[in-house]
Amino acid sequence: MLILSLDTTTRGGSCAVTDNERVLAVVAGDESRTHAERLPAELARALEVAGVERARIDVLAVAIGPGAFTGLRIGIAAMQGLAMALNRPVAGVSALDALAAQVSPGAARYIIPWMDAQRGDVFAALVDGASHREIEPASTASPAVLLDQWMPRLLDGRAVFIGDAVERDADLIRSAGGQPRRPALLAPHIAILGGRMAEQGLAGPPHRLEPIYVRRPDAEIERERRGTP
């Protein structure tokens, strides 16, 4: 199964091509340019590196959040358009699940995907280290609030924090008994999880993709603050 995947949940993002969970190509995004400026060229570059024509792709996979509103919409729209052009199913994958997938089952008691949500907050979830199932669903708050909330589970020192906010919050994580780990690019793991979803019949038409925002868009919050419709 050939899969083309895309992540736009982070500023850089990434694209990948996999074949039955074997990574054929990974392209890191150019952080100096917006996702709108770089797509779909980066997807084409990933296919070129993999030596795969787009007509051979079986399934598309895209990160559906959480992340910045604009980046998510651009990434999802790009893959929806490609899915329609190729008449292929597309799988929407949580970026938090893709982060958790980077930690081998059993390597930690708990896995805590830890993404920068801007404004000093994080997007995070509490995941069982053996089964990779969520214990606490995706939420957004300040690092201190979430660490205080989950502190009873962190005392044994077997919690791995992984994501683009771990470097910023490393001291706080260690003081709570956690182990910070820098993540790899997400696109290969999005492809692998997307392929597993496709095998289970969970990939579908592009219009079924639903973003995971966790937090309302800034523009909506600002309109509410101003009292405008």
Side-chain angles (χ1 to χ4, degrees), residues 5-8 10 12-16 26-29 38 42 185-188:
S5 65
L6 173 65
D7 167 45
T8 58
T10 60
S14 54
C15 310
V26 183
V27 173
R38 291 148 36 196
E42 287 183 349
L185 294 173
L186 287 187

Side-chain angles (χ1 to χ4, degrees), residues 59-221:
V59 176
L60 302 168
V62 62
I64 54 173
F69 177 83
T70 302
L72 284 181
R73 296 305 304 176
I74 290 170
I76 291 171
M79 293 303 259
Q80 284 176 320
L82 190 55
M84 292 178 66
L86 297 177
N87 192 28
R88 296 291 189 275
V90 58
V93 179
S94 163
L96 299 174
D97 289 346
L99 284 168
Q102 296 185 26
V103 182
S104 300
R109 184 172 183 181
Y110 301 108
I111 305 168
I112 301 178
W114 199 252
M115 296 179 67
D116 187 358
Q118 304 302 317
R119 292 185 260 169
D121 291 344
V122 290
F123 297 120
L126 185 67
V127 178
D128 180 80
S131 67
H132 281 193
R133 293 182 179 176
E134 281 189 353
I135 299 171
E136 296 288 348
S139 60
T140 182
S142 72
V145 166
L146 285 176
L147 288 173
D148 183 65
Q149 179 180 330
W150 295 338
M151 182 62 73
R153 291 186 168 103
L154 307 181
L155 295 178
D156 68 359
R158 292 198 60 217
V160 170
F161 289 66
I162 183 167
D164 62 351
V166 296
E167 189 170 356
R168 181 195 70 188
D169 300 330
D171 290 343
L172 192 61
I173 290 168
R174 291 191 181 98
S175 70
Q179 306 169 34
R181 181 181 299 185
R182 294 185 65 181
L185 294 173
L186 287 187
H189 299 277
I190 290 166
I192 290 169
L193 294 178
R196 293 174 186 174
M197 291 175 66
E199 290 173 349
Q200 297 169 23
L202 299 177
H207 67 269
R208 290 186 183 173
L209 289 176
E210 291 288 343
I212 302 171
Y213 290 129
V214 180
R215 182 173 65 198
R216 290 182 301 160
D218 289 345
E220 182 179 310
I221 295 171

